[in-house]
Amino acid sequence: MSNWMDIAALDDVPQRGSRVVKTHAGCVAVFRTAQDEVYALNNSCPHKGGPLSEGIVHGAFVTCPLHNWVFSLETGQAQGADSGRVETHPAKVENGRILLDRSIIAARTVA
Amino acid sequence: MPQKLIIIGAGMATGRALETLLETAPDAYDVTLFNAEPRGNYNRIMLSPVLAGDKTYAEIETHAAQWYADNGVTCRFGEKIASIDRGAKTVTAANGDVLAYDKLMFGTGSNPFIIPLPGHDLEGVIAYRDLEDTERMMGLGPDNKCVVIGGGLLGLEAAAGMAARGVDVTVVHIMGHLMERQLDEAAGYLLRRALVDKGITVKCSANSKEILGKDGHVRALLLDDGTKLPCDLLVMAVGIRPNVTLASEAGLAVGRGIHVDAQMVTSDADILAVGECVEHDGAIFGLVAPLYDQARVAAKTLLGEHATFVQKELSTKLKVTGCDLFSAGDFADGDGREDIVFRDPARGVYRRLVIESDVVIGAVMYGDTADSNWFFGLIRERTDIAEMRDTLIFGPAYQGGTPLDPLAAVAALSRDAEICGCNGICKGQIEDAIAAGAGDLAAIKATTKASASCGTCTGLVEQVLAVTLGDDFVLPAAASICACTDMTHEDVRRMIKSQRLTSMPAVWQECGWKTSCGCHVCRPALNFYLLADWPLVYQDDPQSRFINERKHANIQKDGTFSVVPRMWGGITTPDELRAIADAADKYAVPTVKVTGGQRIDLLGVKGEDLPAIWADLNAAGMVSGHAYSKGLRTVKTCVGTDHCRFGTQDSTGLGIKLEKTLWGSWTPHKLKLGVSGCPRNCAEATCKDIGIVCVDSGYQISIGGAAGMDVRETELLVQVATEEETIDVIKAITQAYRENARYLDRIYKWMAKVGMEWIKERVVDDLTERAALVERFELSQSIYRRDPWADHVQKRAESYQPLASLALEAAE
């Protein structure tokens, strides 16, 4: 069976915005870019744990609201002088619905 | 003996398939062609030129009656197929005729999607699909109004065609910019500007609510926001849906379209399908290029040859005179993807290439699409562009050309573009001064007064010098806003005002932004500038605001928020305090603190509880304290004449009046006020951004205090006699501050740039200017003097909740 899980409508997340999906092991932030691409990352900055879902989204990057670290939404890699990585998860849009991989529950319940 | 082929639908795909088939093997099949429309095949994509009057129907007809006759095709036009018996391999026509087939080909096309709005069945509501629709639109003239729903390819072509006939056309589009599937915001902005220049009214982010009629005929379109758009004809061009009804009834495998394999064969080996009715590998097709590919493959399959349909990169062009745009490939932002952006504001040219691993994967072009085929070739061929990267964006003819001049935006301004707003000096006057010998900024100031007042246009004046004098002028280095632009805050503010830029894409384009949509540094600044300069036109963009202003609460280090209800002038009541205490209990607020601004801070509120706690505080009559905003924070007061034996005026009362006047206003940085009832200054008014110290003879207004990283005492601006005048002066100073200061400069920093004298001239000495400032302040407040908490509780509460909660789902 498919490992994709229907989470919500694309329009439930604003363009250049984000909302979280709660799981056992913390929140996953679901981002939507201006071009309607969707990314899923752990909602926690490796620096001081800032909630990335509350950051400003620009291009395919997000800026952490606490200390302005910038992360690639695609790789989770910190940009510029900062180093660190946020875990990313498979995500896609199909027929206007956001789909996440079931592994966000499986992997994270074990963790 | 030839086999029998029945084709259902005489459209562009079946037409091309038939041509290929007859050219290759004219005698292989005995063909019968059914078509629901009472005519043969015509070039549907040329309906727009017909509408615009550039072509006639005769010119776009691909196959005339004679062609069918010459090729021995039996035509049954105006007839539908009623049913198909796959077992017996027969079709039944609407008149009851039963015809046998060896092979059957579907080309049933698509149906326009009609939004089921109330009133969609009124007379005068049409789609834009066939010749009949086109003729309806051609029947309109200068006395008519038309509304087009849908700002995509088809809708815009319809709108432009009718506008060319003098019709008063309004396009209503639900998304934020036109053609959002093919264009990015910058190109969408340029397209909109071009259409507006053609006299078309464009409404983006507009939701249709209802179609209003009279005597069964459409009369107007009603939008969600209450706007009524009168019209004689309403065209819906919002998309198409594959027409699968007949295929589905016949029991073929159908998804969004009729399922076909790469040979264009459906789930029945003797039945093929081509065109807009098919679904191949999850995709459906609306553009003509893949349809023709399908047609060729289907013809070969019919002849027993092997051919394979492959989906290719597609490109889009809009057939509207004067709007040259092109889009191809994938132009979404992404990691590992880089943008090369070229903007030439003077010519209205925008080009953006998206590059991944030294290959161009997407292109958007506007204004000058001469090189589009070359770029499309690079995309399709996946050409390695590493070698020519430096000059790639200039196209094939410019390999090795000079790089883009960063001063292009200023060079592009016309001679009557205003550079210095204070003194009304245009670019041409500065150029004339330079021609008369003024060679540097000081000389320009002395001879024209440009940049001699507030100084915010200094950068622009210097750039005019640089453009005019060339190498003779060395431009002093000024810090740009961020890496997205070479312009300073001041330059951008002047551009926004002088060029009347009212949207972010407009600023990005006209100021030559180097990124597609800015960054966390420039976006909040631009959002503020646009909001301050165009309060009625510009829509605040929450996604360009820092989280505190987006969620109207202060984010804390653990991701929770603090909530501070307003206490006007620092005055509260037992009822308010009880409500605050109840809220603190109900939402398990860990810390309750009294702030320096004379109010109460509830710290540690969970983000998802914000709308609920606000609703409770609203119910007790409290509103947002804006403790999180670059805007009016608090007006701190002492008790004044009400209780104090030294008080000279009602400082508390004035403080409350000021706070009720100023609250909700956005400013470049936070704005704190203090009102003390006597020079003992218990409200510490002289270290606020604006301080009022009451004396027997009136009110001393001073500005530019600070008590943060910098500690400063305010400087006296003026003493006035009445409360009314105090309030007017403070409104005027606030407005002057937000119209002129750089984003994130407190008043004292702005004052250091423009000088106290400049401010005094405007808000103290020149009463006309003061009145104008007050008027503009009030205009903006007519929109922003309201409680954002109540608005969010009502309209956006859902956005504070998690998208989904999977905490209870078991791992599999």
Side-chain angles (χ1 to χ4, degrees):
Chain A
M1 68 172 270
S2 148
N3 269 328
W4 293 106
M5 212 171 13
D6 187 311
I7 295 295
L10 179 64
D11 287 341
D12 289 340
V13 181
Q15 284 190 327
R16 293 197 197 101
S18 172
R19 285 177 68 184
V20 299
V21 172
K22 281 192 164 181
T23 77
H24 251 352
C27 291
V28 171
V30 178
F31 294 89
R32 175 182 178 191
T33 68
Q35 255 78 39
D36 283 346
E37 291 189 326
V38 164
Y39 298 97
L41 283 79
N42 282 3
N43 188 31
S44 180
C45 177
H47 176 218
K48 301 267 184 185
L52 297 176
S53 63
E54 313 279 27
I56 289 181
V57 178
H58 44 102
F61 300 94
V62 63
T63 300
C64 176
L66 293 195
H67 306 97
N68 288 337
W69 282 35
V70 178
F71 295 92
S72 156
L73 293 177
E74 201 160 68
T75 63
Q77 201 67 43
Q79 305 292 300
D82 300 316
S83 65
R85 208 182 81 82
V86 188
E87 194 182 338
T88 59
H89 306 282
K92 67 174 180 181
V93 180
E94 234 175 57
N95 301 326
R97 304 290 301 178
I98 296 172
L99 308 183
L100 295 187
D101 194 283
R102 216 162 260 286
S103 63
I104 62 165
I105 316 174
R108 296 162 59 88
T109 17
V110 179
Chain B
M1 159 132 183
Q3 298 194 79
K4 287 186 164 48
L5 169 65
I6 295 179
I7 300 179
I8 310 169
M12 300 184 65
T14 55
R16 178 58 61 92
L18 200 49
E19 278 175 14
T20 313
L21 185 67
L22 294 171
E23 278 165 20
T24 323
D27 303 320
Y29 284 97
D30 177 7
V31 183
T32 305
L33 178 59
F34 278 85
N35 198 28
E37 276 187 69
R39 64 179 69 79
N41 182 23
Y42 61 96
N43 190 343
R44 207 179 285 275
I45 60 174
M46 298 307 277
L47 283 174
S48 293
V50 171
L51 174 60
D54 298 337
K55 288 204 186 305
T56 62
Y57 173 71
E59 289 176 81
I60 69 164
E61 188 179 39
T62 356
H63 298 143
Q66 193 59 41
W67 184 86
Y68 295 109
D70 291 349
N71 286 287
V73 176
T74 309
C75 298
R76 300 191 62 155
F77 294 158
E79 285 190 67
K80 291 185 177 179
I81 298 284
S83 64
I84 298 168
D85 182 339
R86 294 200 287 130
K89 291 181 75 170
T90 59
V91 300
T92 307
N95 68 355
D97 287 357
V98 177
L99 287 81
Y101 67 80
D102 296 300
K103 296 280 180 188
L104 183 64
M105 179 152 65
F106 273 81
T108 44
S110 61
N111 293 323
F113 180 58
I114 295 287
I115 312 168
L117 292 172
H120 71 271
D121 46 2
L122 286 165
E123 165 63 16
V125 177
I126 63 170
Y128 181 24
R129 183 68 196 148
D130 55 26
L131 193 62
E132 279 70 28
D133 298 329
T134 311
E135 281 168 348
R136 282 295 292 274
M137 288 188 255
M138 289 166 73
L140 299 184
D143 298 333
N144 296 114
K145 289 181 194 299
C146 177
V147 168
V148 177
I149 302 182
L153 209 56
L154 212 52
L156 296 182
E157 291 185 359
M162 285 186 284
R165 295 178 172 272
V167 181
D168 180 351
V169 183
T170 302
V171 174
V172 173
H173 192 46
I174 194 164
M175 303 303 290
H177 69 271
L178 296 172
M179 289 181 68
E180 78 286 344
R181 283 166 60 196
Q182 292 91 7
L183 300 182
D184 59 7
E185 278 178 295
Y189 155 74
L190 284 169
L191 174 59
R192 178 190 184 126
R193 203 177 63 173
L195 293 173
V196 169
D197 284 348
K198 288 180 182 294
I200 298 171
T201 307
V202 179
K203 290 188 173 293
C204 287
S205 302
N207 266 312
S208 303
K209 188 177 180 187
E210 188 179 346
I211 302 168
L212 307 174
K214 191 179 175 189
D215 306 328
H217 193 280
V218 62
R219 176 171 66 83
L221 176 69
L222 178 65
L223 302 181
D224 254 1
D225 64 4
T227 311
K228 261 189 213 166
L229 304 168
C231 57
D232 307 306
L233 189 70
L234 188 143
V235 181
M236 278 201 203
V238 291
I240 53 168
R241 287 192 167 167
N243 183 0
V244 299
T245 316
L246 186 62
S248 171
E249 285 167 4
L252 295 176
V254 165
R256 282 191 296 161
I258 304 169
H259 283 167
V260 291
D261 61 16
Q263 281 68 50
M264 308 316 294
V265 177
T266 66
S267 57
D268 181 324
D270 290 319
I271 304 181
L272 291 79
V274 291
E276 289 180 334
C277 62
V278 310
E279 175 179 342
H280 172 258
D281 200 13
I284 58 173
F285 306 86
L287 297 172
V288 73
L291 266 52
Y292 282 167
D293 285 347
Q294 291 173 3
R296 276 188 291 270
V297 171
K300 296 211 163 171
T301 302
L302 283 173
L303 294 171
E305 295 171 33
H306 185 77
T308 303
F309 171 67
V310 182
Q311 291 182 34
K312 291 185 188 150
E313 292 290 348
L314 295 178
S315 67
T316 305
K317 274 187 177 174
L318 182 73
K319 292 180 295 302
V320 172
T321 318
C323 301
D324 290 326
L325 66 81
F326 170 85
S327 122
D330 180 358
F331 50 88
D333 290 307
D335 199 54
R337 290 182 177 182
E338 298 158 68
D339 278 340
I340 299 181
V341 177
F342 170 90
R343 304 184 198 242
D344 181 345
R347 292 191 300 138
V349 170
Y350 171 78
R351 281 183 180 184
R352 176 166 164 228
L353 300 178
V354 182
I355 311 233
E356 192 171 48
S357 313
D358 286 331
V359 167
V360 182
I361 59 163
V364 184
M365 304 172 73
Y366 189 94
D368 174 6
T369 54
D371 299 328
S372 59
N373 286 334
W374 185 70
F375 285 113
F376 191 37
L378 295 182
I379 295 173
R380 292 182 80 139
E381 307 294 324
R382 298 190 61 77
T383 311
D384 185 324
I385 50 87
E387 293 292 311
M388 53 180 161
R389 186 177 169 127
D390 288 352
T391 52
L392 179 67
I393 191 90
F394 303 105
Y398 289 84
Q399 300 304 319
T402 48
L404 176 61
D405 182 355
L407 297 173
V410 172
L413 296 178
S414 63
R415 271 179 61 85
D416 55 4
E418 190 182 81
I419 300 287
C420 173
C422 297
N423 296 296
I425 308 299
C426 300
K427 184 183 168 194
Q429 290 165 274
I430 297 172
E431 287 174 339
D432 294 345
I434 297 169
D440 60 18
L441 184 65
I444 296 288
K445 275 190 191 175
T447 52
T448 69
K449 287 267 192 301
S451 101
S453 297
C454 78
T456 53
C457 62
T458 303
L460 282 183
V461 173
E462 286 172 341
Q463 289 179 15
V464 174
L465 277 161
V467 166
T468 315
L469 294 176
D471 292 342
D472 295 340
F473 181 79
V474 179
L475 196 64
S480 64
I481 295 181
C482 62
C484 300
T485 175
D486 292 325
M487 287 196 165
T488 64
H489 284 268
E490 289 74 14
D491 297 340
V492 172
R493 278 216 96 162
R494 289 296 314 143
M495 286 291 284
I496 289 174
K497 285 183 190 140
S498 66
Q499 301 300 298
R500 298 194 62 83
L501 308 179
T502 59
S503 71
M504 259 196 242
V507 176
W508 296 334
Q509 172 63 23
E510 303 295 343
C511 299
W513 240 245
K514 291 182 272 185
T515 49
S516 64
C517 68
C519 70
H520 68 272
V521 177
C522 59
R523 284 235 308 275
L526 293 184
N527 188 56
F528 167 74
Y529 293 150
L530 289 164
L531 194 121
D533 288 342
W534 316 112
L536 300 189
V537 178
Y538 178 72
Q539 291 274 318
D540 184 31
D541 174 22
Q543 302 312 129
S544 293
R545 285 192 176 273
F546 182 61
I547 184 61
N548 290 359
E549 294 183 340
R550 198 183 324 140
K551 287 202 166 169
H552 294 276
N554 275 324
I555 195 161
Q556 305 297 312
K557 60 184 267 189
D558 61 355
T560 63
F561 291 86
S562 86
V563 170
V564 184
R566 204 167 273 290
M567 285 180 182
W568 309 98
I571 297 292
T572 184
T573 65
D575 281 342
E576 285 186 354
L577 290 172
R578 265 188 287 270
I580 292 172
D582 287 345
D585 277 343
K586 183 168 167 187
Y587 300 98
V589 172
T591 307
V592 181
K593 187 179 184 310
V594 175
T595 73
Q598 300 185 332
R599 42 203 195 168
I600 291 175
D601 193 351
L602 303 169
L603 291 135
V605 180
K606 289 188 208 67
E608 54 206 84
D609 285 341
L610 287 171
I613 194 169
W614 293 338
D616 287 3
L617 294 169
N618 279 161
M622 282 175 278
V623 296
S624 168
H626 292 89
Y628 45 81
S629 77
K630 313 280 180 248
L632 180 84
R633 296 282 182 91
T634 62
V635 182
K636 186 172 179 177
T637 67
C638 69
V639 292
T641 44
D642 274 357
H643 301 278
C644 177
R645 63 204 164 103
F646 299 115
T648 62
Q649 311 280 358
D650 177 15
S651 52
T652 320
L654 176 57
I656 292 171
K657 280 181 198 158
L658 279 169
E659 195 164 346
K660 295 222 166 185
T661 298
L662 300 176
W663 79 294
S665 58
W666 298 104
T667 46
H669 206 302
K670 57 188 170 187
L671 184 65
K672 295 179 172 179
L673 273 66
V675 186
S676 288
C678 79
R680 287 170 190 77
N681 194 13
C682 294
E684 298 159 352
T686 52
C687 65
K688 299 287 184 266
D689 296 283
I690 302 174
I692 298 101
V693 174
C694 303
V695 290
D696 262 340
S697 53
Y699 305 83
Q700 294 175 343
I701 304 170
S702 60
I703 61 171
M709 281 206 285
D710 290 310
V711 180
R712 262 160 224 269
E713 188 181 347
T714 51
E715 282 180 49
L716 184 66
L717 179 69
V718 63
Q719 178 172 331
V720 296
T722 65
E723 276 194 350
E724 290 66 42
E725 194 174 359
T726 305
I727 293 170
D728 268 2
V729 168
I730 288 172
K731 282 192 219 175
I733 181 82
T734 305
Q735 184 64 17
Y737 168 50
R738 67 177 179 193
E739 283 179 7
N740 293 285
R742 168 194 284 222
Y743 185 63
L744 298 185
D745 272 0
R746 297 278 290 265
I747 286 186
Y748 74 92
K749 285 197 178 167
W750 169 60
M751 230 167 84
K753 284 179 189 161
V754 301
M756 188 60 147
E757 281 313 304
W758 184 89
I759 299 172
K760 264 189 188 162
E761 277 170 26
R762 275 152 189 82
V763 302
V764 176
D765 303 339
D766 184 342
L767 293 181
T768 317
E769 177 63 19
R770 184 199 292 177
L773 285 164
V774 169
E775 193 183 324
R776 291 202 291 275
F777 180 80
E778 279 302 325
L779 181 74
S780 172
Q781 283 293 78
S782 68
I783 292 177
Y784 290 103
R785 189 157 46 207
R786 52 186 294 140
D787 181 22
W789 288 357
D791 285 347
H792 281 225
V793 167
Q794 209 182 14
K795 294 183 198 142
R796 305 169 60 112
E798 178 55 31
S799 70
Y800 286 76
Q801 305 309 315
L803 198 52
S805 185
L806 307 176
L808 297 177
E809 296 226 5
E812 290 189 29

